[in-house]
Amino acid sequence: MKDKDYKISFAPMEGITGQTFRRVHAKMYGGVDDYYTPFLAANKNHAFKHRETREFLPFTPNLIPQVIASNPKDFVWAAGVLRDAGYSEVNLNLGCPSSTVVTKKKGAGLLRDLEQLNRYLDEIFEEDDLPKISIKTRTGYENNDNAAAIGKIYAKYPICEVIIHPRAREEFYNGMPDINAFLNMAEHLTCPVCYNGDIRTVQDFERLKEDLKDVNHFMIGRGLLADPGLALAIKGIDEKQDKAMLHNYLSVLWDEYSKELSSERAVLFKMKELWYYLEWHYPMLKKEINAIRKSKSGAEYQTLVVRVLDN
Ligand SMILES: Cc1cc2nc3c(=O)[nH]c(=O)nc-3n(C[C@H](O)[C@H](O)[C@H](O)COP(=O)(O)O)c2cc1C
């Protein structure tokens, strides 16, 4: 980070980057400037589930709560709750591609009908007593042809930042991020813009920062699951890149999940999910990691992890 200061955020990932995970990552590695909660669902009953409340209470600095809502009134309610909890920014999810989400016209489902998107944002930005609102968006629904049109809609509102994941909803996470779609949307925006998508190595980051000279903020999700020290490495700090450090981090995560979750099976499930991404960083250990992902008990899991990480 010799030339200018870049901000790196840890992307929200439902089912993975919950409060326990974020706390352990921040303590053991860090290197990211802020974390986002996985989406909090604002429904018409105007009550968060206990599990969701624990994501944002007590107030945590450097945490941006994210909300998903099909009805703007529900978003406004949730943003009010988060303001009262002390948050000065709330992020609106306009990117989740899952079928159950988009059929309810939320997440990326709101990118399908641009008139409706307009009305939705009109209603939210009519409110004047809300925290700052940022948006995390994809660049289209079926394809990226509407990236510029969506950008023009966003430009009409006092959005504090747009985080762009340049894929259409229909692509889910397949193919490559479309840098042109990113630029087509970004050129219409007057607010700050953040790039998100497929940063897995320091080289990926270096390349993107050259391609996107006006961007100072990058968000990383799966790359940081695969290599929890990636943000540090991007910032030129390499000392946390070894296997012993990774083993330590995974042990602390195991212990913390064991306090939070009701069964060993649930803890094992969480850890095995992480190993899916860790394999990206250790492709040469594919066979051994496959065995870890098939382990049937905590004891078997721990033995296999020692075998992979302690030599
Ligand atoms: C398992 C999983 C869960 C996710 N959950 C969320 C979420 O709750 N909110 C959100 O905005 N994006 C969510 N995403 C998308 C990520 O935040 C991010 O945009 C995407 O993974 C692309 O960035 P990456 O290539 O750096 O991972 C999720 C992605 C995955 C794979």
Side-chain angles (χ1 to χ4, degrees):
M1 301 255 289
K2 295 128 244 131
D3 31 7
K4 61 178 174 177
D5 271 347
Y6 291 95
K7 184 172 155 190
I8 312 264
S9 299
F10 206 134
M13 302 182 84
E14 218 266 320
I16 303 178
T17 63
Q19 50 98 13
T20 300
F21 178 89
R22 295 193 302 270
R23 190 165 28 84
V24 173
H25 181 270
K27 187 168 150 218
M28 307 291 291
Y29 284 93
V32 295
D33 297 281
D34 51 24
Y35 294 80
Y36 287 66
T37 69
F39 65 71
L40 310 166
N43 298 321
K44 60 177 184 300
N45 56 357
H46 290 187
F48 281 128
K49 296 192 177 90
H50 176 61
R51 174 179 62 78
E52 289 173 320
T53 309
R54 288 179 50 221
E55 287 296 321
F56 65 87
L57 287 180
F59 171 80
T60 310
N62 306 322
L63 177 67
I64 296 165
Q66 185 190 65
V67 172
I68 199 165
S70 47
N71 187 324
K73 287 188 178 56
D74 302 335
F75 177 84
V76 168
W77 162 77
V81 170
L82 294 162
R83 171 202 59 215
D84 295 346
Y87 293 93
S88 59
E89 178 182 340
V90 173
N91 182 261
L92 168 63
N93 180 319
L94 292 178
C96 181
S98 114
S99 299
T100 47
V101 163
V102 298
T103 49
K104 290 183 193 143
K105 295 205 172 132
K106 49 187 179 174
L110 282 159
L111 304 178
R112 197 171 201 173
D113 173 349
L114 299 193
E115 275 177 32
Q116 195 202 357
L117 176 65
N118 236 317
R119 286 195 299 275
Y120 184 97
L121 295 175
D122 271 347
E123 210 170 318
I124 286 177
F125 285 95
E126 251 166 36
E127 299 291 323
D128 51 16
D129 194 21
L130 294 183
K132 288 183 288 177
I133 295 167
S134 57
I135 283 181
K136 182 163 177 287
T137 186
R138 288 189 176 238
T139 37
Y141 191 87
E142 275 97 14
N143 54 48
N144 291 325
D145 292 353
N146 279 335
I150 297 169
K152 284 181 194 163
I153 292 177
Y154 294 157
K156 295 199 288 185
Y157 302 95
I159 296 165
C160 71
E161 183 177 46
V162 179
I163 301 162
I164 305 175
H165 175 53
R167 280 192 173 94
R169 181 267 164 179
E170 296 283 304
E171 293 172 286
F172 285 78
Y173 297 102
N174 301 324
M176 295 296 289
D178 180 343
I179 298 299
N180 286 328
F182 177 94
L183 294 169
N184 288 343
M185 180 177 280
E187 76 169 332
H188 297 286
L189 298 170
T190 47
C191 67
V193 170
C194 168
Y195 173 88
N196 165 240
D198 296 52
I199 301 176
R200 296 189 185 179
T201 60
V202 176
Q203 293 74 15
D204 290 340
F205 172 79
E206 295 292 331
R207 207 186 48 245
L208 278 160
K209 107 181 177 196
E210 284 310 307
D211 290 349
L212 306 174
K213 286 228 163 45
D214 295 335
V215 177
N216 296 329
H217 184 189
F218 293 83
M219 174 179 266
I220 308 177
R222 295 166 298 170
L224 272 164
L225 301 180
D227 173 7
L230 179 59
L232 285 173
I234 285 173
K235 292 181 176 179
I237 304 162
D238 278 338
E239 76 246 23
K240 292 200 177 178
Q241 285 294 356
D242 65 2
K243 282 187 182 174
M245 178 66 208
L246 180 63
H247 198 177
N248 202 4
Y249 160 76
L250 294 173
S251 301
V252 174
L253 261 182
W254 177 281
D255 291 346
E256 293 301 309
Y257 280 141
S258 300
K259 289 180 204 158
E260 178 196 334
L261 302 170
S262 55
S263 67
E264 183 184 88
R265 215 166 139 242
V267 178
L268 193 55
F269 179 84
K270 285 260 185 217
M271 300 307 295
K272 287 190 317 192
E273 191 170 18
L274 267 189
W275 276 99
Y276 169 80
Y277 297 99
L278 288 166
E279 191 194 307
W280 294 3
H281 196 58
Y282 293 103
M284 67 301 263
L285 296 172
K286 190 174 172 51
K287 213 172 106 223
E288 291 82 349
I289 291 176
N290 258 340
I292 292 177
R293 297 194 60 230
K294 285 188 187 141
S295 57
K296 297 214 163 31
S297 69
E300 187 191 358
Y301 167 87
Q302 303 291 5
T303 310
L304 293 168
V305 170
V306 168
R307 219 174 277 166
V308 168
L309 293 181
D310 282 8
N311 56 52

